[in-house]
Amino acid sequence: LGAGRVTGEGANLDHVLVSSSLKVRRAQVLDHPMSDHLPVAVELELPPALAASLAGTLAGTPLPACA
């Protein structure tokens, strides 16, 4: 949050940090009525070498979601 303090409705408290080697294809805040924190879903584009490496070892297996 930097030097300032962000409070109130609409304040962004949940984040996904992404390194410069990854590209964000899509990001979305999901509705979840049972928490004061909302889940954040992010679809990433991996660097070609990493994507090729994973494709060879995980063929047909979806990557696990991280919380």
Side-chain angles (χ1 to χ4, degrees):
L1 296 176
R5 184 173 179 193
V6 180
T7 60
E9 189 172 335
N12 294 320
L13 299 177
D14 300 309
H15 294 80
V16 175
L17 302 177
V18 179
S19 73
S20 61
S21 64
L22 302 174
K23 179 180 176 185
V24 177
R25 287 188 181 173
R26 180 175 44 179
Q28 177 181 358
V29 176
L30 306 174
D31 187 28
H32 191 286
M34 302 303 288
S35 175
D36 60 346
H37 293 273
L38 297 176
V40 179
V42 179
E43 183 179 326
L44 301 173
E45 182 176 317
L46 302 176
L50 178 56
S53 172
L54 290 174
T57 59
L58 300 173
T61 305
L63 294 175
C66 297

